[in-house]
Amino acid sequence: MSDLGNGVWLFVLFSIAFVVIVTIGFVRRDKQAKKLQNMMGADTVSLPGWTEGETTRLLSSAEQPGFYMLRPRFLSKLETIAFQHLKRALPQHEILARIRVIDLLQLATIDEAYAREEAFRRIAFLDVSFVVCDGDMVIIAIIDLDDPAVLSDAARLRLHKAKQSALKTAHANYFSFDPLHPPTEEELRHLVLAAQTMVA
């Protein structure tokens, strides 16, 4: 009976020690994450952390020969024509192409971790065709090229509407145009410079 009692007490002590160690580990991890975010800036978006196993798997797959191939072009021919059209219309501005929405928006302060993660996921895989910035890299306008394929695909259309909603919520100057029938250079300048005046 004494041996059984000793065994129970040892089990209880071991369980308490385990819980304490795990708790300390989580607290240290949280402090390190907050310290890193403070160093990187308050507007940095926190990405979901990778576990050790996921990191190892990603690194090993990246090292496989032939796993990745360089794209033949960064922009399609239509995108290139639109890009050059924007550069001619706005020679004093910076034109960025194929930018992720998550690089344009920052999440508002959200206390609940679940709500913050959901907000991040809604825009994590969305992108826009072009971003127009002034000389100080302040975002002036966000532009998409109309894609007929989006209208015929329900899933892509939902994502497109989610993107429009997110940009509208952020009060971004967002518009799109048909790359086969683009606005004139004067019309583009008017759209962008009018927005720049409002920002100023």
Side-chain angles (χ1 to χ4, degrees), residues 3-183:
D3 290 340
L4 180 61
N6 289 337
V8 170
W9 277 108
L10 285 174
F11 177 77
V12 170
L13 289 173
F14 176 79
S15 299
I16 293 173
F18 177 76
V19 170
V20 169
I21 292 172
V22 170
T23 302
I24 292 173
F26 276 118
V27 170
R28 286 182 177 175
R29 178 180 172 183
D30 187 55
K31 286 182 178 179
Q32 289 175 349
K34 288 181 179 178
K35 182 178 179 181
L36 179 61
Q37 188 166 1
N38 288 335
M39 292 172 61
M40 295 177 69
D43 60 344
T44 302
V45 175
S46 300
L47 298 179
W50 296 109
T51 65
E52 184 176 351
E54 288 171 323
T55 303
T56 302
R57 177 177 56 79
L58 288 171
L59 290 174
S60 63
S61 64
E63 293 169 357
Q64 293 180 16
F67 197 82
Y68 297 102
M69 294 177 59
L70 188 66
R71 289 175 178 268
R73 306 175 58 98
F74 178 61
L75 298 177
S76 69
K77 290 185 179 181
L78 271 180
E79 289 173 326
T80 301
I81 292 171
F83 176 81
Q84 292 170 346
H85 186 52
L86 283 165
K87 288 294 291 182
R88 287 193 299 270
L90 303 158
Q92 304 301 318
H93 290 70
E94 301 296 332
I95 313 296
L96 310 177
R98 283 194 179 176
I99 302 298
R100 300 182 308 166
V101 174
I102 196 68
D103 293 325
L104 303 174
L105 305 181
Q106 58 186 11
L107 297 180
T109 302
I110 302 175
D111 294 332
E112 297 82 2
Y114 175 78
R116 186 176 178 84
E117 185 175 348
E118 282 298 303
F120 170 81
R121 289 180 184 276
R122 280 196 290 271
I123 62 174
F125 301 103
L126 305 176
D127 59 33
V128 295
S129 300
F130 303 107
V131 176
V132 180
C133 297
D134 66 10
D136 290 327
M137 298 307 290
V138 175
I139 298 170
I140 303 302
I142 299 171
I143 305 168
D144 262 332
L145 298 182
D146 292 335
D147 184 356
V150 171
L151 300 177
S152 59
D153 187 312
R156 292 178 65 182
L157 183 58
R158 283 197 301 271
L159 290 174
H160 184 67
K161 288 183 176 179
K163 172 173 62 178
Q164 290 179 316
S165 177
L167 292 171
K168 181 179 179 180
T169 300
H171 305 291
N173 176 42
Y174 170 78
F175 61 92
S176 62
F177 64 82
D178 183 349
L180 296 176
H181 304 91

